[in-house]
Each structure stands twice: as C-alpha cells, then as structure tokens.
C-alpha cells in the first residue's frame, strides 16, 4: 500500500499547527484518522459508535449513553438474546447475552461477578449459567458494577439479597441508583462499597481487582485491571467500563473528563501488562463471538481468542480517546 498521501497530509497538519511529533493535530479529521488507524479491523464497531464519521451523526453515537434504562419493561423474546455460558480462562467465565456481558471471576475464596445485565437475564444467564458451569451462585461474594445503567446493573439487587454479595459501584452512580423508585426493574440495591476518584482494590482470596475511577460514560463509571489464569499462566485483563458519549452534547468538560479517564485506564492497563481487553457490550470486544471460539480448533499461529496483546489493548483506548476528541470538536462551539 502506498502511504505517501497520508504522510503528506500529516506533515502539512504538523507544519500548520506546530504540534509535537507523535501528537495528533487538533482537528476533527486528524483525530478521526488517528482513531481509524488505531481501530484497524479489530475495533471497527467502537469506531463506528464513537467517532463522528458522518456530519449528521455529530459524534453522538447512537445516543444510548443517555438512556439510564431503569424503567420496568417486559423481557424481550429469549430467542433474540439468550446465550449459553462459557469458560474463557481457568478462572474467568462469560455469563452474557448476545448483546451484553457479565463475567464471573473465580477466586480461592468465592466468586466476583463483574457487571450484571437486565433483570430478566439474572436468573437464566448468571444464576443458571454459574450452575451449568459447575459453580455455585451462593459463592458470589462481590458484584462490581461498571456503571449504573440498567443493561449492566439490574441484577445487582437480586444477587445482593439472595446471596449476601457486596455490591461495588462508583460513588456518584450509587447516588443516582439510590434515587430509583422501589419498583424499578431488578429492585434497588443497598449501598455497600462506594469507589471515589482514588479508585480501589477489591481482594477476594488469591485475586485482586484493581478498580480505576473512569467517569465519562456515566458520572461514576469504573474500569478495571485484574489477573486471570490461562492454563496456569497469569494473564492480565483490562476492562473498559463505559463506552458511549451520546449524552455529552456541548458539555466540553464532560468530553475532557472522558478522554482523561481513557488515558488513566490505558496507563493502568500498560502498567499491568494487560493483553486482554474486555467490555460489557459484545459489539465492542466481540465477547459473544470469541467465547464460542474457545473450544474451536486453532490454526498454527493462532492464540487464545481473547489474548490480543498489549499493543492492541492500547489501540482500543486510543480509539476511545481520539473519537471523543474528534466528537468534542464537532459538538462544542468555542
Ligand atoms: Zn451505559
């Protein structure tokens, strides 16, 4: 491929803006170019949902980031969402639907559930899923919620009341959760553990989840790094807690906060040496597709479907940052 035209454009932009080498010139187009390069073929859906690729979209994604999704609503047809549970690593299990992911991290002293799902998925996916995998739902000790939107937290209250699990959430997201009506889908959990800007570490037995406070998608979004074992070998995971920027509009500070948060979790992922990137939506990390590939025959040179390498994990967060910078420039009038 001849990359000469791209080099010419980049050089011109550099000369015009005087940006330091390695820094993206601060224009919508330059940030999109940087995001596109980082996305490659791995993270196209993240790029499509976050970047202002088309003028009419104004970088607001599909707007779902604005929906708290807390109102009671009937469960959709199971045939449109049900997925079997899968063992992903020695001690990490996927309990998602085809659209949203929940994860079970098994430790020497019980189970940590990372994100729940809509209330109608708690029983079939999390409780029955654990049982199908030979795990006991009564061993759930913690439920760590990335952010207080119904597609990720409606199972928290049930797991808390049935099994005595401690619910962990960002402090500002607890504040909004506790204001919900008592008859809201899934019920309202009691406040257990609040995480503020300093982050937190949740240790259960032999496993510690490093919680990074990454406000942006919601005001109290949490992201994580944590270790798992792959055939006895320790592998580090980076978990992106919230993605869409649809509610930000002209709020420049909110865009800046989101970008700063992605830099923070990217740095934590680099420090940990994370080679796996997880999200709570299959469209961003292909969890549903990859989960089903675990038992499949691997061709020569193919590795575990979830292990993408440190460079790819960093590219994921670069897509989020560069798309948000492009969308901010499109949305915020100076
Ligand atoms: Zn959300």
């Amino acid at each position: 491929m001849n990359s000469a035209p791209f080099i010419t454009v980049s050089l011109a932009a550099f000369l015009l803006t005087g940006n330091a080498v390695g820094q993206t010139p601060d224009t919508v187009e330059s940030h999109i170019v940087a995001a596109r390069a980082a996305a490659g073929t791995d993270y196209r859906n993240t790029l499509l949902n976050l970047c202002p690729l088309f003028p009419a979209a104004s970088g607001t994604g599909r707007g779902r980031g604005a929906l708290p999704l807390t109102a009671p609503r009937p469960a959709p047809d199971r045939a449109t969402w049900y997925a079997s549970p899968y063992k992903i690593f020695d001690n990490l299990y996927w309990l998602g639907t085809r659209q949203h992911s929940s994860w079970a991290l098994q430790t020497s002293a019980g189970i940590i559930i990372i994100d729940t799902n809509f209330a109608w998925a708690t029983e079939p996916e999390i409780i029955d899923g654990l049982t199908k995998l030979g795990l006991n739902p009564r061993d759930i000790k913690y439920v760590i919620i990335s952010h207080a939107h119904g597609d990720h937290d409606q199972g928290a209250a049930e797991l808390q009341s049935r099994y005595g699990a401690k619910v962990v959430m960002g402090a500002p997201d607890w504040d909004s959760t506790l204001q919900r009506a008592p008859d809201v889908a899934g019920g309202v959990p009691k406040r257990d553990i609040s995480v503020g800007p300093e982050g937190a570490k949740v240790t259960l037995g032999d496993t510690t989840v490093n919680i990074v406070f990454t406000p942006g998608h919601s005001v109290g979004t949490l992201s994580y790094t944590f270790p798992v074992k792959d055939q006895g070998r320790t592998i580090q995971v980076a978990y992106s807690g919230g993605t869409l920027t649809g509610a930000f509009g002209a709020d420049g500070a909110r865009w800046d906060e989101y970008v700063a948060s992605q830099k923070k979790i990217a740095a934590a992922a680099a420090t940990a040496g994370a080679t796996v990137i997880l999200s709570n939506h299959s469209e961003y990390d292909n969890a549903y597709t990859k989960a089903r590939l675990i038992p499949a025959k691997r061709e020569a040179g193919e590795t575990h479907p979830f292990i993408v390498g440190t460079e790819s994990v960093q590219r994921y967060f670069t897509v989020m940052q560069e798309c948000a910078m492009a969308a901010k420039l499109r949305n915020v009038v100076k």
Side-chain angles (χ1 to χ4, degrees), residues 64-65 67 69 147-152 217-218 241-244 281:
R64 283 174 308 165
L67 295 173
L69 299 167
H147 67 273
H149 287 168
D151 48 346
H152 310 296
H217 175 71
S218 74
T243 312
L244 292 182
H281 289 260

Side-chain angles (χ1 to χ4, degrees), residues 10-12 31 53 61 81 131 154 158 164 174 188 198 250 308 317:
S10 297
L11 182 62
H31 287 302
L53 300 176
W81 54 267
T131 308
Q154 283 183 1
E158 186 174 353
W174 267 121
V188 181
E198 66 285 357
V308 296
F317 293 115

Side-chain angles (χ1 to χ4, degrees), residues 203-263:
T203 299
L204 183 62
D206 59 358
T207 306
T208 296
V209 177
N210 175 37
I211 301 181
V212 182
F213 189 73
T214 53
H217 175 71
S218 74
V219 287
T221 296
L222 306 178
S223 298
Y224 327 115
T225 64
F226 56 89
V228 295
K229 295 270 190 199
D230 179 38
Q231 297 179 333
R233 189 169 58 115
T234 299
I235 302 288
Q236 296 288 339
V237 174
Y239 188 103
S240 172
T243 312
L244 292 182
T245 53
F248 296 4
D251 186 346
R254 190 93 190 264
W255 290 105
D256 293 343
E257 184 179 53
Y258 179 93
V259 171
S261 288
Q262 302 325 311
K263 288 184 174 160

Side-chain angles (χ1 to χ4, degrees), residues 307-328:
I307 301 177
V308 296
T310 52
E311 182 265 351
S312 183
V313 170
Q314 292 300 311
R315 283 196 288 110
Y316 184 83
F317 293 115
T318 300
V319 174
M320 295 179 79
Q321 288 167 44
E322 294 290 350
C323 285
M325 288 189 269
K328 179 194 171 188

Side-chain angles (χ1 to χ4, degrees), residues 3-314:
S3 57
F6 170 70
I7 290 169
T8 309
V9 170
S10 297
L11 182 62
F14 167 73
L15 292 172
L16 284 171
T17 62
N19 266 283
V21 175
Q23 202 181 328
T24 307
D26 202 22
T27 66
V28 174
E29 293 71 24
S30 303
H31 287 302
I32 291 175
V33 167
R36 212 185 268 282
T41 54
D42 311 330
Y43 304 121
R44 278 193 173 156
N45 282 345
T46 311
L47 180 88
L48 279 170
N49 276 296
L50 281 178
C51 258
L53 300 176
F54 312 103
S58 301
T60 54
R62 291 181 199 153
R64 283 174 308 165
L67 295 173
L69 299 167
T70 49
R73 60 173 202 160
D77 180 357
R78 182 181 162 110
T80 64
W81 54 267
Y82 181 78
S84 301
Y86 288 90
K87 180 173 185 168
I88 306 299
F89 290 108
D90 302 357
N91 60 337
L92 186 72
Y93 302 82
W94 182 76
L95 306 172
T97 60
R98 290 176 220 169
Q99 295 80 26
H100 299 89
S101 295
S102 293
W103 304 86
L105 180 60
Q106 189 185 23
T107 79
S108 60
I111 295 168
I112 299 172
I113 295 291
I114 296 174
D115 279 327
T116 61
N117 206 313
F118 288 112
W120 36 262
T122 306
E123 188 83 40
E125 299 286 19
I126 297 180
I127 297 171
D128 293 350
L130 286 171
T131 308
K132 276 184 189 160
L133 292 164
L135 300 169
N136 190 340
R138 281 193 290 273
D139 292 338
I140 300 173
K141 304 298 182 201
Y142 288 102
V143 177
I144 308 180
I145 299 294
S146 62
H147 67 273
H149 287 168
D151 48 346
H152 310 296
D153 75 351
Q154 283 183 1
E158 186 174 353
L159 298 178
Q160 183 184 55
S161 63
R162 268 173 86 164
Y163 305 119
K166 294 263 180 285
V167 177
V168 182
M169 218 188 287
D173 279 22
W174 267 121
D175 295 342
S176 58
T177 295
L178 296 173
Q179 285 168 19
R180 291 178 186 173
D183 62 346
V184 76
V188 181
K190 297 189 298 292
R191 191 196 298 259
D192 284 324
I193 299 167
S194 288
V195 179
E198 66 285 357
K201 290 192 196 302
V202 168
T203 299
L204 183 62
D206 59 358
T207 306
T208 296
V209 177
N210 175 37
I211 301 181
V212 182
F213 189 73
T214 53
H217 175 71
S218 74
V219 287
T221 296
L222 306 178
S223 298
Y224 327 115
T225 64
F226 56 89
V228 295
K229 295 270 190 199
D230 179 38
Q231 297 179 333
R233 189 169 58 115
T234 299
I235 302 288
Q236 296 288 339
V237 174
Y239 188 103
S240 172
T243 312
L244 292 182
T245 53
F248 296 4
D251 186 346
R254 190 93 190 264
W255 290 105
D256 293 343
E257 184 179 53
Y258 179 93
V259 171
S261 288
Q262 302 325 311
K263 288 184 174 160
K264 201 166 147 191
I265 181 60
T271 301
T275 56
V276 174
I277 176 74
L278 297 182
S279 156
N280 37 31
H281 289 260
S282 272
E283 65 186 297
Y284 303 128
D285 63 1
N286 295 312
Y288 171 52
T289 306
K290 287 181 174 182
R292 288 176 299 152
L293 284 175
I294 300 286
K297 176 180 173 286
R298 291 183 199 158
E299 303 298 345
E302 279 188 332
T303 55
H304 188 291
F306 280 87
I307 301 177
V308 296
T310 52
E311 182 265 351
S312 183
V313 170
Q314 292 300 311

